[in-house]
Amino acid sequence: MKEGINLAEIDPIVIDQLDALLEGETNLMTIYANASALLADAITDNNWCGFYLLNTNTGELDLGPFQGKVACMHIKPGSGVVGTAFAAGESNLVPNVHEFPGHIACDAASNSEVVAPIKVAGKTIAILDIDSPSLNRFSDADQAVVVEFANHLGALLDTVATSTVH
Ligand code: SME
């Protein structure tokens, strides 16, 4: 774990890195995979960083590419931090996950969490989820960076949505 860098300070470097890393890539899983690796490496004090992807056949959110311990594989809309963000179509900052009604404890080490929707053409297709073992890890400024990253990724995915394996 790296110390001393606030998430807000990595912006806009991480956005530029995302663009450079994924330029020309058309495989959605490849994009999600390296986006999760990029973020997990850039963000201090995180123990889980990845994506839950809308399964249009079941309506559930399925575990997608991530960095961290094994996690629950299916989340229903409205359930937990991830499902609630999906149902609302909005980001959420949870300073203490143990106080969040219905929180789904995938990694027992997680104490705070930030989520943001990935939207393509106005529809949420995935949730970006970042957990920390520290309480109150993420600031409002951090959340803004996560939202910006998610929005940027959504715009990028929009350009490749037709040539897809997902
Ligand atoms: N805590 C999330 C579940 C996903 S894990 O954190 C990776 C939730 O409550 O939805």
Side-chain angles (χ1 to χ4, degrees):
M1 183 189 307
K2 288 176 288 183
E3 304 288 346
I5 306 170
N6 190 286
L7 175 56
E9 292 173 28
I10 68 175
D11 176 58
I13 300 166
V14 76
I15 302 284
D16 289 345
Q17 285 178 330
L18 182 73
D19 282 339
L21 185 65
L22 300 179
E23 188 181 0
E25 181 54 54
T26 58
N27 183 314
L28 298 195
M29 283 303 162
T30 303
I31 291 170
Y32 283 122
N34 254 349
S36 72
L38 175 67
L39 263 190
D41 191 47
I43 298 170
T44 59
D45 197 14
N46 85 85
N47 60 314
W48 203 95
C49 175
F51 298 94
Y52 279 90
L53 312 178
L54 175 63
N55 181 330
T56 52
N57 292 323
T58 64
E60 293 187 345
L61 294 154
D62 292 349
L63 181 64
F66 69 97
Q67 309 287 306
K69 290 190 177 177
V70 293
C72 50
M73 294 188 284
H74 306 282
I75 296 177
K76 293 188 188 311
S79 178
V81 177
V82 168
T84 299
F86 177 80
E90 288 176 4
S91 170
N92 198 7
L93 177 59
V94 183
N96 181 350
V97 296
H98 308 291
E99 293 176 353
F100 188 94
H103 167 252
I104 301 164
C106 291
D107 182 344
S110 296
N111 278 315
S112 60
E113 186 165 357
V114 62
V115 287
I118 313 287
K119 295 187 182 187
V120 169
K123 290 188 177 167
T124 302
I125 61 163
I127 296 292
L128 168 59
D129 181 20
I130 305 170
D131 291 12
S132 172
S134 299
L135 285 167
N136 215 2
R137 159 66 182 87
F138 303 105
S139 66
D140 289 347
D142 291 335
Q143 182 184 14
V145 173
V146 172
V147 168
E148 186 186 352
F149 188 93
N151 288 344
H152 200 81
L153 190 56
L156 198 152
L157 291 169
D158 195 17
T159 66
V160 298
T162 50
S163 52
T164 170
V165 294
H166 164 235

